[in-house]
């Protein structure tokens, strides 16, 4: 039986001159070695092979398509644009990999990847056709197809198909989680809006038109027997407080609110200021 050595550390008591302390003791022991997992090794080999195929296809297609585009633009731009042909279907494969446990969502990137692959292969073949090397163009176009096929096989090796009921359970849990994640930026947006409103209200509260009223200011009593009595003032009020008091008392007409504000808060209160506070309170 094959064994392997492992290092184990534990606390043990150690006494010196009658004083005992807990110290670390390290020992090396041998344990049975697990058998080789050849399935995992083959799986890793397939994955590495698929990555190499994609890399080769990217280099080949970029070189071929860049040679075609360089006829009309500078080399740097031509080869940069040529890389986009294969990068598109490679990106679609990467998204398909991420969505391998959600077949419905994986259909769109799979379809887009196939179309992008067809366009890339056609561009490689066009380069061979223009160069009067049709056979080279046709063979070169299959390089990208082989790479995509190899990566598709690698994804099947790593895929874990789910039965219909389990797939529905996964979809329900994912939808609930996605909803919670989607609410994060929405809550941030709402909090920013509430902060803006709070800042606006604080700035209006510091408006010079709504400063504290002079407690010695005298005027007609709101309870002087008027046919339409107004609420009594409870101490000095600002314009803003007077507007809120009037609205809380059931007074809604702007003229009556303005009259009440001028009576209990500021005789020179502006109509525009009072109207603004009425809108904010509404």
């Amino acid at each position: 039986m094959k064994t392997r050595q492992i290092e184990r550390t534990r606390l043990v008591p150690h006494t010196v001159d009658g004083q005992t302390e807990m110290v670390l003791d390290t020992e090396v022991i041998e344990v049975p070695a697990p058998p080789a997992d050849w399935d995992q090794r083959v799986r890793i080999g397939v994955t590495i092979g698929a990555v190499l195929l994609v890399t080769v296809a990217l280099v080949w297609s970029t070189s071929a398509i860049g040679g075609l585009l360089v006829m009309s633009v500078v080399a740097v731009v031509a080869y940069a644009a040529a890389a986009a042909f294969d990068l598109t279907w490679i990106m679609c494969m990467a998204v398909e990999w991420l969505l391998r446990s959600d077949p419905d969502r994986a259909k769109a990137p799979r379809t887009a990847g196939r179309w992008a692959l067809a366009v890339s292969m056609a561009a490689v073949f066009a380069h061979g056709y223009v160069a009067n090397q049709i056979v080279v163009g046709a063979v070169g176009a299959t390089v990208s197809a082989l790479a995509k096929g190899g990566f598709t096989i690698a994804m099947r090796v790593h895929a874990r198909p789910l039965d219909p009921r389990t797939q529905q359970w996964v979809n329900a849990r994912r939808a609930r989680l996605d909803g919670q994640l989607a609410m994060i930026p929405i809550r941030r947006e709402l909090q920013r809006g509430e902060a803006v409103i709070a800042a606006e209200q604080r700035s209006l509260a510091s408006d010079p038109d709504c400063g504290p009223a002079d407690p010695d200011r005298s005027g007609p009593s709101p309870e002087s027997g008027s046919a339409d009595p107004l609420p009594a003032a409870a101490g000095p009020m600002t314009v803003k407080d007077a507007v809120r008091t009037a609205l809380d008392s059931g007074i809604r007409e702007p003229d009556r609110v303005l009259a009440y504000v001028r009576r209990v808060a500021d005789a020179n209160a502006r109509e525009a200021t009072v109207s603004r506070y009425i809108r904010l309170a509404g």
Side-chain angles (χ1 to χ4, degrees), residues 95-110 159-162 166-168 170-175 178:
V95 175
E96 185 181 354
W97 167 275
L98 294 175
L99 300 178
R100 62 188 181 278
S101 62
D102 193 345
D104 292 336
R105 295 176 63 192
K107 289 180 181 179
R110 184 184 303 116
R160 296 291 183 267
L162 303 175
T166 304
Q167 186 67 58
Q168 293 178 37
V170 171
N171 292 342
R173 294 297 296 270
R174 180 181 286 116
D178 289 343

Side-chain angles (χ1 to χ4, degrees), residues 59-264:
V59 174
W60 171 261
S61 296
T62 301
S63 177
I65 300 175
L68 176 66
L69 298 179
V70 79
M71 299 178 182
S72 58
V73 295
V74 296
V76 175
V77 176
Y79 286 98
F85 283 79
D86 269 20
L87 286 176
T88 301
W89 63 262
I90 292 173
M91 181 181 66
C92 290
M93 284 197 313
V95 175
E96 185 181 354
W97 167 275
L98 294 175
L99 300 178
R100 62 188 181 278
S101 62
D102 193 345
D104 292 336
R105 295 176 63 192
K107 289 180 181 179
R110 184 184 303 116
T111 302
R114 290 171 180 173
W115 281 104
L117 175 65
V119 172
S120 177
M121 293 175 62
V124 174
F125 178 79
H127 174 257
Y129 179 82
V130 171
N132 294 324
Q133 296 179 346
I134 298 179
V135 176
V136 174
V139 174
T142 61
V143 173
S144 296
L146 292 174
K148 181 170 176 59
F151 198 87
T152 301
I153 292 174
M155 284 196 296
R156 290 183 179 275
V157 170
H158 290 277
R160 296 291 183 267
L162 303 175
D163 62 89
R165 290 189 175 184
T166 304
Q167 186 67 58
Q168 293 178 37
W169 182 89
V170 171
N171 292 342
R173 294 297 296 270
R174 180 181 286 116
R176 188 177 300 111
L177 180 60
D178 289 343
Q180 294 175 358
L181 293 174
M183 286 302 299
I184 293 176
I186 294 176
R187 290 194 186 98
R188 290 176 179 173
E189 180 182 357
L190 294 177
Q191 290 173 355
R192 286 194 296 267
E194 291 173 355
V196 171
I197 294 174
E200 176 70 11
Q201 291 177 342
R202 287 194 299 269
S203 66
L204 292 175
S206 61
D207 193 300
D209 290 335
C210 59
D214 185 357
D216 295 332
R217 180 184 295 117
S218 60
S221 172
E223 299 178 347
S224 57
S226 171
D228 194 3
L230 296 174
M237 285 188 180
T238 64
V239 172
K240 184 177 181 180
D241 293 336
V243 171
R244 288 180 177 176
T245 302
L247 294 176
D248 292 340
S249 301
I251 302 173
R252 291 291 182 267
E253 294 80 359
D255 293 340
R256 295 182 60 203
V257 174
L258 177 60
Y260 177 72
V261 170
R262 288 178 174 175
R263 181 176 301 175
V264 301

Side-chain angles (χ1 to χ4, degrees), residues 8-14 20-27:
R8 176 179 295 173
T9 302
R10 59 179 180 173
L11 286 172
V12 296
H14 182 67
T20 302
E21 299 289 346
M22 301 299 292
V23 297
L24 289 175
D25 179 57
T26 303
E27 61 178 345

